[in-house]
Amino acid sequence: MAIIVRIIGLVVTVMTLFFSPALALEGPSFMSAHGSNPQIESPQFSPSGQLFAAVIGDESGRAVTLFDSQTLKVTNILPLGASKFRRLMWIDEDRLVIVQSVTARLTNIDASITLTAGRSENWVAIEYNLKTQKQTMLLTGVNRALNTIASGVPVRVVGSNGPNTLVLFGTTASNYLFVLSLIEHQEGGEERVIAEGARDTVDWAVGPAGKVLGEARYYAKTGAWEVWVGPELERLKRVQTGVSPFRQPSFAGVSADQKTVFVRVPDGQETVVHPVNTETGAWGDELPSRDRRFISEDGTQVIFGTVKADGDYLQYEFTDPSDQAFWNAIKKAFKGAEVSLQSIAQDRSRVIVEVFGGGFGNSYYLVNSKMGGAKLIGDLRKDLGPDQMNERQYIHYGAADGMDIPAYLTLPRDRPAKDLPLIVLPHGGPFARDEIGFDWWSQAYASLGYAVLQPQFRGSDGFGLEHLKAGFGEYGRKMQTDLSDGITDLVKKGVADPKRVAIVGGSYGGYAALAGVTLQTGIYRCAVSLAGPSNMSQQLLFFASMYGSRSSNSRYWHEYLGVKNDRDPTLDAISPEFHAAKASAPILLIHGVDDTVVPIDQSKRMEAALKRAGK
């Protein structure tokens, strides 16, 4: 049974949440324990910490399940349909928001406004009231608004009188333009626009009491940006400006007293964070935030710490010394394991953590500072306990030009690390990174006896500015040889058999897989490309059709690829489609028909080129 929601500007079909058959928690066995969806997802405390919600189930059925935090007993089950679950969020003790996504095409809002955007992944939210058992689709009460969350996720706001309200980032039509706006959703379902952006508004800052404290603007054609800050919407004033070809300003969070907003602004090829006083507009000194992510309360966006991926562990730093002491005690209790924060109660007395390695498998635990001890909520994946985990190491090796390349190496647990078949698994992005925690691809392959190498090639993010900048202009060039240099290193160490090496990846990793057997030859026995671009000129033209030929997106890709425009002839040299005749190994192409980042045409083009070449 499906609910068809037609809202002005967008038609979205959302599978009904709560009219599905009762969930059978013990369904059929997984095709693969590693590759299955987690049987526990997104555990989130209610504001008081007395309850927590999580998505429980497997491919046979899933449900949002509520637990008593003290006893871990189930208090409520809300079956989910077949939609794409994204996250859970509490408004208050009685109201829960469930965020899902669907792929759809925006339609005309009226005869005067024409939308030319293609299919895109759109996020929608449903509120469920535990007392009344009523479900409400959000962003359906404003005639000029699309019913999709435009940016990020709902922001919970404590109202001055009565129950909490919700402020969402939405899209409204204003003067024949679509703009980023803030829409308030009240408990009874009433909605209203509380702030409507300019055509170049890209972000808002909202305090925990519901006041609009900041607005960020980015002018795509020129690269100019502005930050506006004030104690309330009517008193926002421009406090900082700048120019960046492809980096936009945004808000990292706010302080509990609403006197400070934390602003991310461009600084060369990366962004830095500054505190700004909402009363005076005073611009504070840069915070030590490079390669760090701010931790904020779910909903209020009040910052209380930072986290950084530092090699083989996550480095947490909390503002409150008591929070830091609590975290240090947790880390000590799970000695040898990677511990990451999943949810924290407002009074900071309870946390839910994900634990990986160190003999703990990959599990969720609830830790109560008042009661002491940690309670196992459950393993993330069915039939995959500590004894089924393979060793994952953080290593370094040298590229041919001497550059240091960090990498993750996963080894099979049941055989010596000598002359192993090897899978090279480059990440997507490419301006992204892998981390030390559970990675189902590498674990699944290692369980079959393969060593798995995940190089953090030049251009990867999170390893410093110089490492990131070193990738500019090296797409299909040194970024590619960084991968094969890792093979050389493992062969020299006796870990890998050079005659048994495959390359597998998705998105940019899929491109690297194609390039590994066309731009390079004789290295890999086979290649698997999941949604990998094969024709870089066509991919850039697709981005231009989505975001505009003069957008920051286009400027970024031009610099990253080292080209002047979308039709630069040098793009052919790094496009696997034009080198299909040189393919030195079998290629498996996998692509989703609804892919909104790399269109399926990219794999179809590669398929046709390979067939023409008799490959």
Side-chain angles (χ1 to χ4, degrees), residues 356-490:
F356 170 72
F360 296 96
N362 186 212
S363 308
Y364 285 126
Y365 282 84
L366 191 155
V367 186
N368 189 324
S369 64
K370 294 180 179 179
M371 304 297 293
K375 293 183 179 180
L376 174 65
I377 297 174
D379 294 327
L380 267 73
R381 285 167 173 82
K382 187 178 180 181
D383 301 324
L384 195 60
D387 294 339
Q388 286 76 46
M389 293 295 170
N390 301 286
E391 180 187 3
R392 197 153 186 242
Q393 304 173 356
Y394 181 59
I395 65 171
H396 293 260
Y397 61 86
D401 63 357
M403 185 169 185
D404 177 72
I405 305 297
Y408 294 100
L409 176 65
T410 305
L411 297 170
R413 66 184 181 279
D414 55 356
R415 62 191 66 190
K418 183 175 176 60
D419 293 328
L420 293 170
L422 174 68
I423 292 178
V424 178
L425 187 63
H427 61 70
F431 34 91
R433 62 163 297 167
D434 294 302
E435 295 183 1
I436 191 61
F438 180 87
D439 178 83
W440 78 264
W441 275 16
S442 59
Q443 287 289 326
Y445 296 145
S447 71
L448 298 176
Y450 296 95
V452 183
L453 178 68
Q454 294 173 280
Q456 307 308 293
F457 44 84
R458 69 191 73 198
S460 298
D461 206 356
F463 298 93
L465 178 59
E466 292 307 312
H467 193 81
L468 176 69
K469 290 172 63 177
F472 280 64
E474 298 297 340
Y475 200 104
R477 301 177 180 93
K478 288 183 179 180
M479 286 170 60
Q480 193 68 34
T481 57
D482 284 349
L483 309 181
S484 49
D485 289 340
I487 301 171
T488 301
D489 181 76
L490 293 181

Side-chain angles (χ1 to χ4, degrees), residues 392-597:
R392 197 153 186 242
Q393 304 173 356
Y394 181 59
I395 65 171
H396 293 260
Y397 61 86
D401 63 357
M403 185 169 185
D404 177 72
I405 305 297
Y408 294 100
L409 176 65
T410 305
L411 297 170
R413 66 184 181 279
D414 55 356
R415 62 191 66 190
K418 183 175 176 60
D419 293 328
L420 293 170
L422 174 68
I423 292 178
V424 178
L425 187 63
H427 61 70
F431 34 91
R433 62 163 297 167
D434 294 302
E435 295 183 1
I436 191 61
F438 180 87
D439 178 83
W440 78 264
W441 275 16
S442 59
Q443 287 289 326
Y445 296 145
S447 71
L448 298 176
Y450 296 95
V452 183
L453 178 68
Q454 294 173 280
Q456 307 308 293
F457 44 84
R458 69 191 73 198
S460 298
D461 206 356
F463 298 93
L465 178 59
E466 292 307 312
H467 193 81
L468 176 69
K469 290 172 63 177
F472 280 64
E474 298 297 340
Y475 200 104
R477 301 177 180 93
K478 288 183 179 180
M479 286 170 60
Q480 193 68 34
T481 57
D482 284 349
L483 309 181
S484 49
D485 289 340
I487 301 171
T488 301
D489 181 76
L490 293 181
V491 170
K492 285 182 179 178
K493 293 175 180 176
V495 174
D497 180 353
K499 296 180 180 179
R500 295 187 294 163
V501 183
I503 183 168
V504 181
S507 193
Y508 171 78
Y511 165 84
L514 296 177
V517 295
T518 56
L519 305 188
Q520 295 178 302
T521 57
I523 299 172
Y524 303 99
R525 286 283 297 275
C526 62
V528 181
S529 170
L530 291 89
S534 65
N535 184 311
M536 296 312 300
S537 179
Q538 290 299 313
Q539 183 64 35
L540 291 185
L541 289 169
F542 172 76
F543 284 149
S545 70
M546 293 289 289
Y547 307 108
S549 59
R550 298 180 63 185
S551 67
S552 59
N553 178 286
S554 290
R555 286 194 295 269
Y556 182 85
W557 278 106
H558 292 164
E559 182 158 352
Y560 208 108
L561 292 170
V563 297
K564 297 178 180 179
N565 54 58
D566 298 340
R567 299 184 184 275
D568 193 309
T570 62
L571 290 169
D572 291 356
I574 58 171
S575 294
E577 176 189 343
F578 299 115
H579 302 271
K582 294 188 293 183
S584 59
I587 297 172
L588 174 62
L589 299 169
I590 302 173
H591 215 119
V593 295
D594 280 345
D595 197 318
T596 60
V597 178

Side-chain angles (χ1 to χ4, degrees), residues 61 64 81 85 131 222 295 331 357 363 406 465 494-495 527 555 598 603:
V64 177
F85 165 76
K131 283 187 175 180
T222 64
I295 310 169
K331 285 284 292 181
S363 308
L465 178 59
V495 174
R555 286 194 295 269
V598 179
S603 285

